Amino acid sequence: MEGGWRSSDSFSEISRFMPSGQYLYSNLGLHEPSQFHPGTFPTDFSRTISGNNGSSDQRNVVEINSHRDGGELQLFRPTLRDLYNQEVLYTLSQNNDLFSYMVYLQLCEPSDRDAEIIRRAMYANRTDLRLVMEIICTRSSLELLSIKQAYRVKYISLLEHDVLTKANGSLKEIISAILNSTYSGERFDTSMALCDAKVLYEAVTSSKFIDHNSIISIMNLRNIDQIKTILSSFKHLFGHEFIKFLKYYNSGEFGIQLRAVIRCIQFPEKHFAKQLRRAMVTGDSQEVLIRTLVTRSGIDIKNIDSAFSEKTGWSLESLIRNEFNCSSHENSLGWVRDALISLLKNY
């Protein structure tokens, strides 16, 4: 860029993202304004994502990212593109390190991010239908609509079609029904929910085998938000959660998969806590922690922390420190650790 770049050129834009007040507080310590220069953020960021970074560059990226929500962080992207003639998300996606992965998820538009997570989960070497289910079933009806639209634009394909192609068994049947449901605004029909709750009860108890068709019909006709109302109505009418009701009756493989879906919809914090416990066994804890902290910060991360602690005796902070265990910030894992802890504490 002719004439070079000066930090003052973008200070008015970048400074809007900085915490107000005399000092900047974070888990990294207490810094006076003179120690921290938000106007240098584009330079720090460019060096960081290109791999030509120092510890202080990553520190500045962590500081700003940990104190701003996704909508604010996304405003950095056009600034960085104009200054350095590079698309920051593409550059980050080419880096094979956890720090870049974390920042990539933070800067992505949520619907684009979720569409990409689903796509990778379906088309990776090992298809991860649990992750596909997680994204589809822990988002609101409006968010799911946005994800479907983003997926269609990004991959020139319908999410509903690709799930039918890649998934199998009962989980495919249930997820496909949810994807085919229609978003009808944020209004809830409590009278209809009571009727549907009775249908669910009869579908499980009226015969020797669970009535798949009746349950799938409800999933297909009601959106995620309305399904939550139905599940609340079920407990009101029959005194037990539907998910526990399914476990009591011998509902086979369909019932096992349906319980997993219901857990995601009704108790997302329990689902995420369970996925983290599973990751501790499979060795995927670092990636799962990053994805969970970034996507659930400001939503239900505190509830996930409580659910995880209840089952394991560990706090999420303890798990983060254990999985990103390093003695200094020379390794970028130290900055990932600090950023995740900051997200946990700030939201």
Side-chain angles (χ1 to χ4, degrees), residues 130 295 305 313:
R130 289 281 168 166
T295 62
D305 191 9

Coordinates of all heavy atoms in Angstrom, one line a residue, residues 130 295 305 313:
R130 N -22.4 -36.8 15.6 CA -22.7 -36.2 16.9 C -22.4 -34.7 16.8 O -23.2 -33.9 17.4 CB -21.8 -36.8 17.9 CG -22.2 -38.2 18.3 CD -23.4 -38.2 19.2 NE -24.0 -39.6 19.3 CZ -24.8 -39.9 20.3 NH1 -25.2 -39.0 21.1 NH2 -25.3 -41.1 20.3
T295 N -17.9 -20.9 20.8 CA -19.3 -20.8 20.3 C -20.3 -20.6 21.4 O -21.4 -20.2 21.1 CB -19.6 -22.1 19.5 OG1 -19.5 -23.3 20.4 CG2 -18.7 -22.3 18.3
D305 N -20.0 -25.1 32.5 CA -19.0 -25.3 33.5 C -19.6 -26.0 34.7 O -19.0 -26.9 35.3 CB -18.5 -23.9 33.9 CG -17.3 -23.9 34.8 OD1 -16.7 -25.0 35.0 OD2 -16.9 -22.9 35.3
G313 N -16.0 -33.2 38.9 CA -15.3 -32.6 40.0 C -14.3 -31.6 39.5 O -13.6 -31.0 40.3

